[in-house]
Amino acid sequence: MRTPFLLVTRSCKAIHRLQQSAFVSPVSALYRHQTISVLSNSSTVSCKDDRSYYITTPIFYVNASPHLGHLYSAVIADCLHRYKLLQGFNSKFATGTDEHGLKIQQAAEAAGKDPLTFCTDVSERFKHLFNRCNISYTDYIRTTEQRHHQAVKHFWSVLWNKGLIYKGSYEGWYSTQDESFLTALQVGDAVDSSGNEIKVSLESGHKVEWMKEENYMFRLSAFRSQLLDWLKGNPLAIQPELFYQVVLKWLQEDLPDLSVSRQRSRLQWGIPVPGDAEQTIYVWLDALVNYLTVAGYPDKHNQWWNVAHHIVGKDILKFHAVYWPAFLLGAGLPLPQTIYVHSHWTVGGKKMSKSLGNVVDPLERSKQFTTDGMRYFLLRQGVPDSDSDYTDDKAFKLLNAELADSLGGLLNRCTAPALNPAQVYTAFCPQSFPSEQGGRAVGEDYHMLEAVKNLPAVVEQHYESMHVYKALEAISACVRQTNGFVQRHAPWKLERSDITDQRWLDTIIHVSLECLRMYGTLLQPVVPEISDKLLSRLGVQPDERGLAGVNFLPKIRGMDCPFEGRVLGSDTGVLFTRLENLDIDKQNPKKTKKAKK
Ligand code: MSP
C-alpha cells in the first residue's frame, strides 16, 4: 500500500506548491483552483488527507436583533461542522457580525449610541443566541476588529497593485438596506407607508435611491468568462443545483464594473481606502474578506483557505457567487470549494420583517421548544431549494411526533425496567435472528436492518449536500421501522421463564438498542444534547461516537459487539419532554413531566 500513499503525498505537495506561489495572475489562479479540484478528485484519499475543513456562516448585520432566519444559517453551518468533526476532520467554523456601512451608521444614530457601542451591544445578542443554541463556532469575527482591518487593507492593496481597481464615478441606484447597487432593470415603482411614490429593489422590496459619486471601481467585467469557466469546471461549486443555474444565467448577462468605495463624507463608518482618506471601502468587499481574516490572511492561511465552504441565504447569492470569486481571482487566491445556498423562512407566506410585525424570536422559541427542539425543527422543515413557512403549531406537532413519541418512545421501551430489568445491553441470539431467514425474525425485520445498515451512507450523502431535511427524514423513517419491529414482536408478551423466549426478547432489545445507537450517532450534528443523552443512556462512551467505527449490529455477521453485556448508562429522564400546551406568549411553557409512552 506504499505506492498510493506516495502518490497522494506527491499530489498534495504539488497542490501546496501551487497554492503558495507568490504571484498568480487571475487566469493562472483559476487554473490553479481547477488543478486542485482535479488532483483532489483523482486520488482516493485526496487532499482531504490533511483532514482540514473550513465552514462559514454569513456575518450578520447588527442593525437589528437576530431572528429565526439568522439562526437557520448558523444551525446549518453548525450541523456541517459537527458532522465533519465526527468524520475525523479538523474543522474550523466561523461566524460573526458585519458591523460597517451606512445601514449600521444610521441604526446607531437612531439609537442615539456611538457606532461601536451600538455594534458591540447587538453583536453580543447574536453571540448570546448562538451560545444558547449550541452553535459551536471556533471563531467569532467582528468586522470592527483590528485583525480584520489589516486583512481588508491588504486585500485592497493587492487588487490595487494589480490594476484591478481604478478611480471612476458611479451613477445609479443604491439600496442602503441591502447595501447593494442596482441596475434600472432591477428597480420598480412602489408606494411607501405615507403614500409617497418610491423606487424599490424588485428582488428585496427595499427602497432604493439615486446616487452619483466619485468612487473606486473594481474591474468585475474582466472576470465574466473566468467565472463561467470556474462554474462549468466545478458543477458542485454552488449547491443546490437550482442556484448554480441562477448564477450561470447571471454570468451570461452583462457584468458591469462594481463600485467598491463610498465617499467618506457620506459614509464614515467603515474602513478607509488605503492611500485615500476621502473614501470608505464598500461594505460588501469589507465583509466578504472576513472569511479570509479568520483563515489567517494576510499571514499563513492556506490550511484553511484551500478548504473553505460558505453557507449563504439566497438573498446574498450574487455577492458570494459572483463578486467574491471575482475578487479572489483578482487577488490570486483559490476560490471556495462550495457555496451552499439556502432559501428563507417566511411567516404567513411573507418574509419576516419588523414592519410587518411577523419576526419570530429564536431565543424565545428555543426556550419554548428547547434548543435541540428548535434546531431539529429548523433542519427537518427547512428545505434549501424553496422557502418554508414557519408556524408554532408545525414545530409543536413535529417535535412531539418525532422526538418525544417516536425516538423517545423507542428508548423508553428498550430501557424500561419491565423489559430490561438487568439494565444491560442485552445479548443477541443468532438462532433467533439468523443472518438469513429461518429464526423468529420475519421479512420486514430484515428490511429494517437493511435500511438501518444503509443509513450512514444515506445520511452522509444528504449532509454533504446540505439536504439535512432528507437525512432527518431517512432517520425518522428508520425510527418508525424500529418501533414497528418492537410492536410486531410485542416482547412484553413473551414468556420469560422459557429460555428461547427470553433469548428472543433479549435479541429484540439488542437489535433495537443497536438501531438507537445508530440514530444517536447520526443525529449528533443536529441535536447534540439529545444525542448525548441517548448515547449516554446506552452506555456508549464519548470516544465510541464517531462515524468511522459505527459498525451496525456486528453480531448478525458473527462478529463481536463491544456493547453487548455492558451495563446501561443511568436514567436521566425522558429524552424529549412532550410539549403539552402551546402558549408561546407565556414565559413558562407548560410541559408534562413524562413523555407519552
Ligand atoms: N451581512 C450580510 C452578509 C455578509 S457575509 C460576508 C447579510 N447579513 S444578514 O444579517 O442580513 O443576513 C445573514 C443571513 O441570514 C443570510 O444568509 C440571510 O439569507 C439569512 N436570513 C435573513 N433572513 C432570513 C430568513 N427569513 N430566512 C432564512 N434566512 C434568512 O446579509
Side-chain angles (χ1 to χ4, degrees):
M1 294 309 289
R2 287 186 73 104
T3 321
F5 173 72
L6 280 176
L7 273 175
V8 168
T9 311
R10 255 188 240 129
S11 306
C12 286
K13 275 196 182 141
I15 292 167
H16 289 133
R17 260 202 313 278
L18 281 164
Q19 287 158 350
Q20 278 157 7
S21 55
F23 172 81
V24 192
S25 71
V27 175
S28 55
L30 171 69
Y31 286 122
R32 186 176 55 158
H33 176 76
Q34 288 178 334
T35 313
I36 292 165
S37 314
V38 171
L39 287 176
S40 317
N41 293 338
S42 64
S43 74
T44 40
V45 188
S46 86
C47 204
K48 279 185 186 157
D49 66 353
D50 67 9
R51 311 294 279 174
S52 293
Y53 183 84
Y54 175 33
I55 182 112
T56 68
T57 70
I59 47 170
F60 301 92
Y61 283 131
V62 289
N63 59 311
S65 290
H67 63 57
L68 192 82
H70 300 135
L71 179 62
Y72 182 52
S73 282
V75 167
I76 296 175
D78 186 55
C79 174
L80 294 192
H81 168 65
R82 287 175 184 269
Y83 171 66
K84 284 290 155 186
L85 290 176
L86 282 179
Q87 280 187 322
F89 278 77
N90 178 13
S91 179
K92 190 186 228 353
F93 169 23
T95 190
T97 42
D98 188 352
E99 305 188 3
H100 291 136
L102 203 53
K103 176 157 78 166
I104 313 296
Q105 185 177 304
Q106 290 171 352
E109 267 164 30
K113 291 186 181 171
D114 79 90
L116 188 59
T117 311
F118 176 78
C119 290
T120 305
D121 288 351
V122 185
S123 184
E124 282 301 314
R125 267 182 250 159
F126 275 94
K127 209 183 220 179
H128 175 65
L129 171 71
F130 294 160
N131 292 342
R132 175 83 176 62
C133 293
N134 283 327
I135 305 298
S136 51
Y137 55 83
T138 58
D139 200 329
Y140 189 89
I141 175 138
R142 298 181 53 189
T143 52
T144 44
E145 287 174 56
Q146 208 41 46
R147 60 171 174 158
H148 179 66
H149 282 225
Q150 269 172 12
V152 172
K153 285 182 181 164
H154 186 89
F155 191 79
W156 176 282
S157 305
V158 173
L159 297 179
W160 173 258
N161 289 337
K162 290 187 175 186
L164 295 170
I165 292 177
Y166 62 96
K167 194 106 186 236
S169 72
Y170 176 79
E171 184 168 0
W173 297 106
Y174 190 76
S175 159
T176 304
Q177 271 308 305
D178 303 330
E179 297 285 13
S180 164
F181 300 94
L182 295 104
T183 64
L185 292 176
Q186 295 169 313
V187 170
D189 295 313
V191 177
D192 71 9
S193 51
S194 324
N196 303 318
E197 285 187 358
I198 54 165
K199 297 280 183 192
V200 292
S201 155
L202 290 175
E203 197 189 327
S204 68
H206 291 138
K207 188 176 169 194
V208 298
E209 276 156 335
W210 189 257
M211 117 185 186
K212 189 175 177 195
E213 269 185 26
E214 259 220 336
N215 286 169
Y216 287 96
M217 305 293 288
F218 173 72
R219 294 190 194 282
L220 184 62
S221 54
F223 290 90
R224 199 166 72 97
S225 67
Q226 290 171 56
L227 291 171
L228 272 169
D229 287 350
W230 164 57
L231 286 184
K232 289 187 177 151
N234 295 274
L236 294 178
I238 299 169
Q239 296 182 40
E241 215 233 326
L242 159 80
F243 296 108
Y244 172 83
Q245 296 299 344
V246 168
V247 179
L248 271 188
K249 196 164 162 287
W250 283 337
L251 289 174
Q252 262 128 31
E253 291 158 12
D254 191 31
L255 194 63
D257 286 352
L258 180 71
S259 166
V260 284
S261 72
R262 302 294 312 270
Q263 278 177 7
R264 193 104 195 136
S265 54
R266 294 181 203 237
L267 172 65
Q268 297 87 48
W269 187 236
I271 303 174
V273 165
D276 186 347
E278 292 306 305
Q279 295 271 330
T280 304
I281 295 179
Y282 174 41
V283 63
W284 267 102
L285 194 156
D286 168 347
L288 287 161
V289 173
N290 93 85
Y291 302 133
L292 280 171
T293 308
V294 171
Y297 184 87
D299 299 331
K300 210 170 144 248
H301 54 275
N302 289 338
Q303 179 190 2
W304 304 112
W305 191 247
N306 294 328
V307 289
H309 299 75
H310 301 313
I311 300 286
V312 302
K314 64 178 185 181
D315 54 325
I316 54 175
L317 180 58
K318 190 174 269 172
F319 301 98
H320 284 83
V322 178
Y323 301 167
W324 182 225
F327 293 154
L328 289 167
L329 286 171
L333 289 163
L335 305 191
Q337 293 202 329
T338 317
I339 300 170
Y340 292 109
V341 190
H342 65 75
S343 296
H344 283 168
W345 282 93
T346 55
V347 175
K350 298 210 173 75
K351 207 180 159 187
M352 268 180 262
S353 87
K354 254 197 202 166
S355 51
L356 287 175
N358 63 351
V359 169
V360 177
D361 178 355
L363 204 57
E364 189 192 335
R365 292 310 192 278
S366 67
K367 285 180 192 153
Q368 176 79 19
F369 297 129
T370 75
T371 296
D372 272 359
M374 195 72 247
R375 293 172 62 108
Y376 187 83
F377 176 73
L378 289 176
L379 293 173
R380 175 77 169 93
Q381 288 284 303
V383 182
D385 306 64
S386 56
D387 289 353
S388 313
D389 202 51
Y390 179 86
T391 69
D392 287 324
D393 194 47
K394 259 193 223 170
F396 168 79
K397 287 187 176 135
L398 180 94
L399 298 176
N400 276 348
E402 296 194 355
L403 292 184
D405 297 350
S406 198
L407 188 65
L410 182 62
L411 179 69
N412 272 352
R413 283 172 148 179
C414 304
T415 54
L419 280 187
N420 190 346
Q423 292 289 285
V424 291
Y425 214 99
T426 53
F428 178 86
C429 167
Q431 285 74 37
S432 313
F433 206 144
S435 60
E436 280 172 28
Q437 289 198 30
R440 294 177 74 161
V442 298
E444 273 179 285
D445 303 338
Y446 288 92
H447 289 148
M448 177 199 65
L449 292 195
E450 194 59 19
V452 182
K453 190 184 86 190
N454 294 334
L455 196 59
V458 170
V459 165
E460 172 166 11
Q461 185 205 334
H462 295 319
Y463 278 158
E464 293 281 356
S465 60
M466 205 192 62
H467 283 95
V468 183
Y469 80 99
K470 285 192 186 168
L472 296 179
E473 210 166 71
I475 296 173
S476 182
C478 282
V479 176
R480 276 199 303 277
Q481 279 181 280
T482 311
N483 269 316
F485 163 70
V486 176
Q487 193 66 33
R488 192 156 50 244
H489 297 295
W492 47 89
K493 288 192 184 153
L494 292 172
E495 190 48 65
R496 297 266 186 93
S497 52
D498 177 323
I499 184 74
T500 52
D501 260 17
Q502 177 64 53
R503 283 198 185 126
W504 175 226
L505 188 155
D506 285 349
T507 302
I508 295 169
I509 304 287
H510 179 96
V511 169
S512 305
L513 291 175
E514 276 292 277
C515 291
L516 277 165
R517 185 170 65 81
M518 300 291 283
Y519 307 147
T521 305
L522 295 171
L523 282 170
Q524 288 175 97
V526 177
V527 282
E529 287 179 0
I530 288 179
S531 300
D532 176 47
K533 195 167 184 180
L534 170 55
L535 293 170
S536 299
R537 179 73 172 115
L538 302 187
V540 179
Q541 299 306 307
D543 62 351
E544 295 170 325
R545 299 176 184 185
L547 292 174
V550 70
N551 195 16
F552 173 59
L553 199 60
K555 293 287 298 195
I556 204 163
R557 297 187 303 280
M559 291 154 69
D560 281 346
C561 170
F563 304 98
E564 191 179 72
R566 268 196 208 173
V567 175
L568 294 181
S570 54
D571 181 0
T572 53
V574 293
L575 198 59
F576 184 83
T577 305
R578 205 163 198 284
L579 304 158
E580 283 297 342
N581 275 353
L582 192 64
D583 201 351
I584 298 294
D585 295 332
K586 297 235 168 86
Q587 281 292 317
N588 299 314
K590 290 177 195 160
K591 292 176 183 176
T592 52
K593 285 273 174 276
K594 284 182 190 150
K596 195 179 155 197
K597 293 269 153 94

